[in-house]
Amino acid sequence: MARLRPEQLAPALSKGLAPIYLVSGDEPLLVQEACDAIRQAVRQAGFKDRELYHADAGFDWTQVLSAANSLSLFAEQKLLEVRLPTGKPGDKGSKVLQEYAKAPSPDNILLLVAGKLDRSALNTKWAKALEQVGTHIQVWPLPPAQLPRWIGQRLQAAGLKAESSAIDLLASRVEGNLLAASQEIEKLKLLAPDQSVSAELMASVVADSARYNVFALTDKALRGDARGAVKTLQGLRGEGTEPLALLWALTREIRLLVQIGQSVSQGVSFERAAQQARVREQQKPLLQSALRRLKPAQAQQLLRKANGIDKAIKGMRNASPWDELLDLTLNVAGVRSLHPSNDRLSLKLDH
């Protein structure tokens, strides 16, 4: 399978179609655009029909083979699109994909859309079978340092000229959300006089599209991104999120750190400990990162601190839940408490 970056797809499609396409990654806009480009090329090549399948836990993979093998006097060439969000087709799906790859029908194009595929997934039998005959478009998240350049290119493609300060402002507002950035650029196409975008115009028309959600908070804290975690915490507070919901999310991750950290300290491998704790694959690197900063005793102390915050939220302690949530978030990210005296008090009242 030829492995392409998203920007390499258009030239490849202009040279002809592959029988199988695999698009994988966790950046929604780039995945969507890659799929759109494939669909358009397939339509232009005469494949008029499209059948869409969602491969969830109960999916019957034989439907794909049946659709591929169905023949009719009036049948048109078709695109078979299978959504595989987990990136794991299971045993049945793996067998079907391997069988399909042995002899792809010239009357069909298979488009498999998956989430992020790690190295182990790429080494599976089904992935290797597809590798022999298809094309894999790997979509990676855009590094923060490259976001302004990406925005600048998008603005230029939209026929807009923007000041560098305006580009930096948009990059800071969308906080890595490429879909939000694309939507704001579409808005600017309608609002920018003479296709010129100043910093003042950008500030007045661009909404704050940062993805402030609870899971972003915990992920950034576990990764050690203290600044990003604090910004997300502040955004969640501004959106009216209840502190108890944030405490629940942080406490859940801290409990995992305690459980896995204790197992690892007793000689159990991280992979085994994570499996016993039923940790999702994409969560493992984040927990590993946190465990490199926090010893089991420190994680246990954070758990006691979380209990103290719970009492503050419920009015059983005279303390600011938001101040203490800020401290807890920083602690998980590897930063010492801003108010150690409050730590001692909360831990004391926890007993």
Side-chain angles (χ1 to χ4, degrees):
M1 184 187 302
R3 293 187 184 177
L4 304 178
R5 297 188 302 274
E7 62 269 22
Q8 296 174 312
L9 177 59
L13 289 171
S14 66
K15 297 176 182 178
L17 294 175
I20 298 173
Y21 288 94
L22 170 60
V23 180
S24 69
D26 53 5
E27 178 45 66
L29 176 68
L30 300 184
V31 168
Q32 174 184 313
E33 291 182 340
C35 291
D36 286 344
I38 293 169
R39 295 184 194 111
Q40 182 179 359
V42 166
R43 284 194 300 270
Q44 291 175 345
F47 292 74
K48 303 299 183 183
D49 200 9
R50 171 174 173 253
E51 295 185 12
L52 177 63
Y53 302 93
H54 294 273
D56 52 21
F59 179 63
D60 181 7
W61 279 90
T62 59
Q63 295 179 63
V64 178
L65 283 182
S66 297
N69 296 327
S70 62
L71 298 175
S72 168
L73 291 175
F74 305 102
E76 292 186 332
Q77 293 176 309
K78 58 191 172 185
L79 172 69
L80 303 176
E81 183 170 336
V82 182
R83 304 282 177 82
L84 186 64
T86 64
K88 297 179 180 180
D91 292 338
K92 293 181 180 179
S94 176
K95 291 177 182 178
V96 166
L97 291 173
Q98 291 177 67
E99 183 177 346
Y100 185 93
K102 288 179 181 178
S105 168
D107 294 325
N108 302 307
I109 299 291
L110 175 63
L111 170 58
L112 190 65
V113 187
K116 181 181 178 181
L117 299 180
D118 57 21
R119 184 176 298 177
S120 62
L122 293 173
N123 287 327
T124 56
K125 291 181 179 179
W126 66 268
K128 289 184 176 180
L130 299 183
E131 195 169 294
Q132 302 300 317
V133 293
T135 297
H136 182 189
I137 298 88
Q138 288 184 294
V139 176
W140 300 101
L142 195 68
Q146 295 181 18
L147 182 57
R149 180 171 177 268
W150 183 89
I151 290 175
Q153 291 174 338
R154 287 279 170 145
L155 287 165
Q156 186 176 9
L160 298 171
K161 297 179 180 179
E163 298 175 355
S164 59
S165 55
I167 293 174
D168 291 340
L169 177 58
L170 179 55
S172 68
R173 288 287 180 89
V174 299
E175 202 187 41
N177 188 339
L178 301 189
L179 182 58
S182 178
Q183 291 169 342
E184 298 295 358
I185 291 171
E186 288 300 311
K187 187 192 303 182
L188 285 165
K189 286 167 63 177
L190 301 174
L191 299 175
D194 303 323
Q195 288 73 52
S196 179
V197 181
S198 65
E200 290 76 16
L201 175 62
M202 185 73 80
S204 66
V205 302
V206 175
D208 191 342
S209 304
R211 291 175 289 189
Y212 294 129
N213 61 67
V214 176
F215 296 108
L217 170 67
T218 55
D219 285 357
K220 289 175 183 178
L222 289 173
R223 191 181 296 115
D225 180 8
R227 178 174 295 182
V230 168
K231 183 176 180 181
T232 301
L233 178 67
Q234 292 170 340
L236 287 164
R237 183 179 184 179
E239 291 176 350
T241 308
E242 291 294 328
L244 194 60
L246 305 183
L247 178 64
W248 171 84
L250 287 167
T251 302
R252 181 190 57 184
E253 303 300 335
I254 294 170
R255 286 199 180 100
L256 283 175
L257 291 174
V258 171
Q259 180 181 346
I260 296 174
Q262 289 177 342
S263 296
V264 171
S265 68
Q266 294 169 1
V268 179
S269 70
F270 173 83
E271 284 295 330
R272 178 61 177 165
Q275 183 180 9
Q276 291 172 341
R278 297 182 179 180
V279 173
R280 294 177 290 113
E281 192 67 34
Q282 57 266 40
Q283 196 74 352
K284 289 180 181 178
L286 299 175
L287 291 169
Q288 278 184 309
S289 176
L291 286 171
R292 283 193 287 268
R293 299 188 305 271
L294 299 169
K295 297 179 181 178
Q298 292 173 303
Q300 190 69 52
Q301 185 179 17
L302 292 183
L303 197 57
R304 292 196 298 271
K305 181 174 180 177
N307 189 36
I309 298 173
D310 180 65
K311 292 179 179 179
I313 292 173
K314 295 175 180 177
M316 300 167 63
R317 282 183 55 233
N318 184 19
S320 167
W322 285 107
D323 287 347
E324 296 201 351
L325 276 171
L326 173 59
D327 269 359
L328 184 64
T329 300
L330 288 170
N331 292 163
V332 175
V335 179
R336 294 184 63 183
S337 290
L338 299 176
H339 307 289
S341 59
N342 288 351
D343 269 2
R344 291 192 293 272
L345 180 59
S346 66
L347 294 176
K348 181 179 179 181
L349 293 176
D350 179 37
H351 296 291

